[in-house]
Amino acid sequence: MEWVNLQTLWFALIAVLFIGYFVLEGFDFGVGILSRFLASDDTDRRVMINTIGPVWDGNEVWIITAGGAMFAAFPLWYATVFSSFYLPLFLILLALIVRGVSFEFRGKRSDDRWRWWWDQAIFWGSLLPALLWGVALANFVQGIPIADNGLYVGTLWDLLSPYALLGGVASLSMFTLHGAMYLALKTEEGGVIAERAHALALWLGLVVAAGVIAFLGWTYLNALAVGDTGVVPGIIPVSAMLAAVAAPILVRERLHGWAFAATTAMIALVVLTLFLNLYPRLLVSSIDPAFDITVSNARASDLTLTIMTWAAIVFLPIVLAYQSWTYWVFRHRISRASVEAPSDTPMQVLERRLARHRARGQERDT
Amino acid sequence: MDALELARIQFGTTTVYHFFFVPLSIGLAPLVAIFHTQYVRTGEERYRRLAKFWGKIFLVVFAMGVVTGIVQEFQFGMNWSAYSWFVGDIFGAPLALEGLLAFFLESTFLGLWIFGWDRLHPKLHVATIWLVVLGTHVSAYFILAANSWMQHPVGYTIDRITGQARLDDFVAVLTNPYLVGQFSHTILASWATGAFLVLGISGYYLFRQREVEVFRSSARTAVALAVLASIGVAFVGHEQAQHLTDAQPMKIAAAEALWETEAGAPLSLFAIGDVQDRRNIVDIGLPRGLAILATNTLDGEVQGINDLQAAYAEEYGEASYIPVVGVTYWSFRIMVGAGLAMIALSLFGLVTSLRGHIADHDRRFNRWWLWLLPWAIALPFLANTAGWILTEMGRQPWVVYGLLRTEDGVSGAVGTGYVATSLLGFTAIYGVLMVVTIGLIVRQVRTGPPEPVEGEELDDDHRTFAPLGAY
């Protein structure tokens, strides 16, 4: 594949995987966080969890695939990032473990203490990664103390600079708002959860807009200070800020679908800004630019990148197609009645459909 | 203990733990899919109840497999960054492909299966669980391709400038002779694991004569799978041992505690070794057994540990190339012993199933067999764990056979305190989750399959979106 710059292509594809992950699992995290604040009882919490029930696991695969793609396309990047961000990643892993099983486990028993524990797991397991991913990504751009050959020489505190923490607060608040818009769309119109999500979004949207403007502004100033703005065309961060400002306005107009589109665009554009700012670097060394991990010094061989490119060309559209189809299948809003309905078990419904199906078959035969 | 040792303990612990759930998912998924398919085809109530009952257990197991799997992917970079850097060009691609081709497939379609009861046409719905089955198997293929490359590197060159392994031939990596054996062995072992769980729980019910109609069906299906898988896994294992004799002779020698090269070597049944003096004090063996196992001939020569050590020292430099012989020797015996017990139990099941009295509680032998089955659930787990310990510890001191030593693969930048923290953290959370998971499965077993539905209601007006309330 000489007609394409493979390392740039894979930089772009990994950016796409991260954007996909933050846009999709972003609202999962938001719903998990908001399950503590917007629900008035257990039924409400079940409604909220069920809005993401069929999709959260598929959404999480985006980061697993992104990790695999980092490993395959830029082994040095993968090795350095994962060993440098050791404790944050350890916390993210713990969070994703308890959060993942809690969706499956919490409904298995109806006792209050059991559910209380899994609700804690859902809340903290959503909040921690929502915060820490922002911290991590901000650090990619700002730089961390890595020496020659990708060896991290800093401490935990080097990862917690004010800029990185702002990145964390920005991601946490963006995902929470994104989750609120998702709930406004996926729960009963005019219902308690949708209304509470709407009310929260009215003020949270302003916080997010301020956070995004501050974070992207700081990103740009940082880049100017070292005289290297990557390849950021100003229009990308500016659009991100506009989307962030548009979200609370659209909420005020009760255009929740558009507001969700705005938070989606905002997250995608913020992540895109960071990646564009990074290029052609992958991880900045705060010690010496000579130690930066870049697309050229970290890349895999032409052969590996070519094979991966063909796999991505063939399979990424297929994945997108069936994931989109899933969202289409589960496009309906979820109400309290729908999670309560004790008489109509899934199997009873299937039973009826089967019976109907066979009855039609018999009609045809006779 | 230093970071290297802790990182090794962490990898061993998290991997063994992860691999409790993986084979169970791979083995249970097809059984759930079979029951669901039977239901859609025949409309018989017992199949609906079986699909539902085993489906619930499958979901608990699958969730645990997913969340512990993320740790596996991250851990390479966290604790083994030097290794990751060295192998990334080859090892990363199967990992990325596993995500793209398998994880997306299984997680998305599992979501559709769980929540799709009311949404999808029954035939389309049953297709979603078969896609999950496909996903679990494709996933196994790619991760085992990666592992096989560590066992038997093929299709690579070493970069003269950086010293990294570079991909030379991807088809060779995907058709690695080691992989052919390892994939079939692992898949058959996984089917056996699923079959023995279903058999064990069915045995629990049949022994108590509860829900006989329902669990007779699942026991018969599971027996068929158990026979196929437990015998198949032994045959493939035999092929693997022969391949290993060429590819990793040290592993075979250590697994047999064979210190000196021998023609027509016996198959050791019980040995007490003296690792210091590199010899066995006690060794009881089947004459010529190892020669047959390793070479398919009565007088084939099998190389001993001492000769191999001398040869490796010459090739790779002065160091010990002997894995922990006691661990390899006994893990091999535990694996084979558990496997043989599984073959015996499933063959008995086949006979009693063919004679049509699998659920018969009054026949003496059958009653003992039913009583044994729940305990036999432990057998495949024992065999799986021992098998992986043999595979991975038998390869030491190498992490990539002949290319990279384990001690050279560890992260340079990660201190002992960090690894200790994560080891403690994972162990604690994994311990709690194991108790919870077993508790939930036991609870599910005690609760039993869902109530049968009487009559056929066609009233479409009362349709609600109830299935969405699955959580």
Side-chain angles (χ1 to χ4, degrees), chain B residues 83-104:
Chain B
Y83 160 82
S84 302
W85 171 81
F86 176 78
V87 301
D89 197 46
I90 295 156
F91 193 86
L95 242 58
L97 293 177
E98 190 186 11
L100 192 60
L101 272 69
F103 291 156
F104 272 126

Side-chain angles (χ1 to χ4, degrees), chain A residues 68-76 78-79 298-301 304-305 308, chain B residues 80-96 149 164-167 170 400 404:
Chain A
M70 285 169 76
F71 200 163
F74 303 105
L76 177 63
Y78 168 83
R299 58 165 288 172
S301 65
T304 298
L305 291 178
M308 299 264 297
Chain B
W80 304 98
S81 61
Y83 160 82
S84 302
W85 171 81
F86 176 78
V87 301
D89 197 46
I90 295 156
F91 193 86
L95 242 58
W149 191 82
Q164 287 165 291
R166 290 284 181 205
L167 185 64
F170 194 54
V400 181
L404 186 73

Side-chain angles (χ1 to χ4, degrees), chain A residues 193-217:
Chain A
I193 300 170
E195 282 311 303
R196 286 182 180 172
H198 171 84
L200 176 101
L202 283 176
W203 65 264
L204 184 62
L206 300 174
V207 175
V208 169
V212 167
I213 290 170
F215 178 62
L216 291 186

Side-chain angles (χ1 to χ4, degrees), chain B residues 118-423:
Chain B
D118 185 31
R119 296 251 167 257
L120 302 172
H121 184 280
K123 283 185 179 163
L124 183 59
H125 188 216
V126 84
T128 61
I129 187 75
W130 281 109
L131 286 169
V132 175
V133 174
L134 178 69
T136 57
H137 287 69
V138 171
S139 154
Y141 175 74
F142 281 114
I143 195 63
L144 291 173
N147 181 265
S148 293
W149 191 82
M150 296 163 71
Q151 304 286 350
H152 183 57
V154 289
Y156 71 97
T157 51
I158 298 294
D159 190 317
R160 260 186 237 126
I161 300 160
T162 65
Q164 287 165 291
R166 290 284 181 205
L167 185 64
D168 200 31
D169 182 353
F170 194 54
V171 176
V173 172
L174 294 183
T175 56
N176 190 341
Y178 192 96
L179 172 62
V180 177
Q182 202 185 26
F183 178 71
S184 355
H185 195 69
T186 310
I187 291 298
L188 288 164
S190 302
W191 290 353
T193 310
F196 266 82
L197 184 85
V198 171
L199 208 48
I201 295 173
S202 304
Y204 170 89
Y205 273 89
L206 295 177
F207 183 74
R208 283 161 185 74
Q209 294 290 295
R210 280 174 60 192
E211 304 278 8
V212 174
E213 276 311 303
V214 175
F215 284 102
R216 191 208 313 268
S217 295
S218 65
R220 291 181 63 131
T221 310
V223 158
L225 187 64
V227 171
L228 171 83
S230 62
I231 294 177
V233 81
F235 272 100
V236 175
H238 175 65
E239 291 293 317
Q240 278 179 298
Q242 309 219 329
H243 175 66
L244 217 50
T245 310
D246 291 331
Q248 282 187 37
M250 184 62 102
K251 193 184 278 179
I252 283 287
E256 283 302 320
L258 182 75
W259 295 96
E260 304 300 338
T261 304
E262 239 177 276
L267 181 69
S268 174
L269 296 177
F270 179 86
I272 298 170
D274 181 344
V275 179
Q276 292 282 308
D277 271 0
R278 297 191 187 168
R279 62 186 185 84
N280 291 328
I281 301 163
V282 183
D283 193 359
I284 303 160
L286 267 182
R288 299 185 187 274
L290 179 58
I292 296 171
L293 184 81
T295 66
N296 268 356
T297 57
L298 283 173
D299 48 7
E301 189 180 80
V302 181
Q303 289 175 284
I305 297 171
N306 292 334
D307 287 340
L308 288 166
Q309 164 65 26
Y312 287 167
E314 195 159 315
E315 190 176 351
Y316 301 111
E318 221 32 76
S320 170
Y321 296 92
I322 308 175
V324 186
V325 177
V327 171
T328 14
Y329 179 88
W330 285 111
S331 58
F332 185 47
R333 263 135 208 87
I334 292 171
M335 175 182 78
V336 172
L340 291 174
M342 284 155 70
I343 291 178
L345 283 168
S346 28
L347 283 179
F348 183 92
L350 182 68
V351 171
T352 182
S353 176
L354 287 177
R355 287 191 180 166
H357 42 67
I358 197 168
D360 195 339
H361 178 257
D362 296 328
R363 286 169 182 271
R364 195 197 307 161
F365 288 116
N366 210 52
R367 184 162 70 230
W368 291 348
W369 181 68
L370 291 174
W371 180 84
L372 258 177
L373 288 178
W375 302 103
I377 294 173
L379 290 173
F381 291 97
L382 214 58
N384 295 337
T385 305
W388 274 114
I389 288 175
L390 169 65
T391 305
E392 295 294 295
M393 287 199 59
R395 191 192 53 223
Q396 302 302 325
W398 301 106
V399 64
V400 181
Y401 195 75
L403 296 182
L404 186 73
R405 281 164 226 254
T406 307
E407 61 189 29
D408 298 327
V410 77
S411 294
V414 178
T416 312
Y418 277 16
V419 191
T421 307
S422 64
L423 175 60

Side-chain angles (χ1 to χ4, degrees), chain A residues 32 47 218 352:
Chain A
V47 169
W218 196 340
R352 277 202 306 274

Side-chain angles (χ1 to χ4, degrees), chain A residues 50 64 78 86 349 351-352, chain B residues 39 73 79 118 457 468:
Chain A
N50 275 292
I64 299 172
Y78 168 83
Y86 196 91
V349 177
E351 183 73 22
R352 277 202 306 274
Chain B
Y39 174 57
E73 192 202 40
N79 284 338
D118 185 31
E457 279 199 42
L468 293 177

